[in-house]
Amino acid sequence: MQIGMVGLGRMGGNMAERLRRAGHEVVGFDRDPELTDVGSLRELVARLRPPRHVWVMVPAGAPTQETIDRLGDLLSPGDLVVDGGNSHYVDDRRRAADLGAKGIGFVDVGVSGGVWGLENGYALMAGGEEEHVERLKPIFEALKPEGPDGFVHAGGVGAGHFAKMVHNGIEYGMMQAFAEGWELLEASKIVTDVGGTFRSWRHGTVIRSWLLDLLVRALEQDDDLSELRGYAEDSGEGRWTVQAAVEHAVPLPVITAALYARFASRQQDSPAMKVVAALRNQFGGHAVTAADGSFAKGADSPGADVTLPS
């Protein structure tokens, strides 16, 4: 099967290679001249035989919107656009309607697998009309892992990215649980082989998982993680998951807490904790630490002989 791939970065490039290994013809476009097969989206479309299939694998937001808008101008009725990036599901419905008005189909696909997908395959969650999803089945079969699992037609337009959004929200919670467990083991000093403890959990336990395997790998490379700073970005799906939970009145305490933990990781000095420290001093005379790191007893605490720093 012939398919165009727009975006040949870490994910898109590996997906294109996996498709080629499976015997599919891939025409790729990327802004990096060392990666691209063609010089423009127009040339990409010209190289494809109707009905054309173009898979977009660029960052969510404006880059995806601009790419799909341009493809909408270049493609013809009967062609099909796939958004395989981490787009917000609400955007899928609008894009499908815009393309549909021109007779162009749209399928949204949540993709999971990261840099390991080239060899292991990608988990794919598709949203769209049955006819459009069926047309892409040979592509899905080549990209997914071997065996019966790894692909789902989750529902109509938007369902693929909604499923991937929830998947990533669950991922937030799982990572946070592993992180907190690691911190407690390290802090206790009771367990002297923390890395070995995690390694022992990889087989026979109920928490064995690929994430656990990756954590063991990370600890083998840096046993106390001293080479890293405790700073974690969020790519959007965690926020969207929490927003969707509010809209549907579904309690998500674990996923929400994991998202907030990432926010906290990016603060050099917590403004909220400054308020807590100030209030504890005001009502209980509790000692505080000044901005310069010096220690001061509370003004109203027994034996206090210093005042709070101004």
Side-chain angles (χ1 to χ4, degrees):
M1 183 173 177
Q2 187 189 50
I3 189 166
M5 180 70 73
V6 181
L8 301 173
R10 285 181 299 175
M11 285 283 283
N14 282 346
M15 291 169 68
E17 177 60 23
R18 186 172 173 89
L19 289 171
R20 289 185 176 117
R21 291 181 184 180
H24 295 286
E25 179 187 351
V26 180
V27 181
F29 170 70
D30 194 276
R31 292 184 177 180
D32 186 338
E34 295 185 2
L35 299 177
T36 193
D37 298 321
V38 294
S40 65
L41 285 177
R42 180 179 294 278
E43 187 179 346
L44 174 78
V45 171
R47 286 269 298 271
L48 298 175
R49 298 181 295 272
R52 303 171 185 85
H53 306 86
V54 181
W55 190 303
V56 178
M57 207 68 191
V58 300
T64 293
Q65 186 63 58
E66 292 167 5
T67 301
I68 291 178
D69 287 345
R70 181 60 175 151
L71 288 171
D73 294 334
L74 295 170
L75 294 172
S76 303
D79 293 343
L80 185 57
V81 172
V82 181
D83 179 5
N86 286 326
S87 293
H88 199 188
Y89 71 96
V90 297
D91 294 330
D92 294 327
R93 298 168 179 172
R94 174 176 46 78
R95 291 166 181 161
D98 292 343
L99 292 173
K102 301 178 180 181
I104 302 168
F106 178 85
V107 174
D108 59 285
V109 181
V111 181
S112 182
V115 296
W116 302 86
L118 174 59
E119 300 299 332
N120 299 336
Y122 301 87
L124 305 169
M125 295 142 269
E129 296 180 15
E130 184 72 30
E131 172 194 356
H132 296 153
V133 173
E134 282 297 318
R135 279 173 53 181
L136 294 163
K137 272 296 181 66
I139 298 298
F140 296 145
E141 286 295 325
L143 288 173
K144 79 176 192 64
E146 294 183 6
D149 299 323
F151 170 79
V152 62
H153 181 189
V157 170
H161 282 146
F162 193 95
K164 177 59 167 31
M165 177 190 75
V166 175
H167 164 281
N168 282 22
I170 293 170
E171 178 186 298
Y172 275 45
M174 292 176 65
M175 285 194 288
Q176 186 66 26
F178 279 128
E180 291 173 7
W182 177 82
E183 184 174 0
L184 180 56
L185 288 170
E186 285 282 350
S188 73
K189 306 304 180 184
I190 298 170
V191 175
T192 56
D193 186 0
V194 175
T197 299
F198 277 99
R199 194 178 305 111
S200 74
W201 292 345
R202 294 175 63 189
H203 302 283
T205 74
V206 297
I207 63 169
R208 61 188 185 274
S209 64
W210 188 42
L211 277 177
L212 178 57
D213 292 341
L214 293 177
L215 176 55
V216 169
R217 184 172 180 264
L219 292 174
E220 288 174 346
Q221 296 171 347
D222 181 9
D223 62 355
D224 60 356
L225 302 181
S226 59
E227 297 179 8
L228 298 176
R229 179 186 166 205
Y231 181 106
E233 284 287 0
D234 64 290
S235 56
E237 294 90 340
R239 300 187 191 205
W240 298 337
T241 305
V242 173
Q243 289 169 358
V246 172
E247 293 168 3
H248 294 277
V250 175
L252 297 186
V254 172
I255 294 173
T256 303
L259 175 65
Y260 288 171
R262 295 198 183 192
F263 295 162
S265 80
R266 302 199 287 268
Q267 294 181 325
Q268 295 289 344
D269 188 15
S270 170
M273 288 301 102
K274 288 184 179 182
V275 173
V276 171
L279 288 173
R280 291 183 75 247
N281 176 265
Q282 290 296 322
F283 69 67
H286 299 289
V288 296
T289 301
D292 62 5
S294 61
F295 180 78
K297 293 181 181 180
D300 298 327
S301 61
D305 55 3
V306 296
T307 58
L308 290 173
S310 58

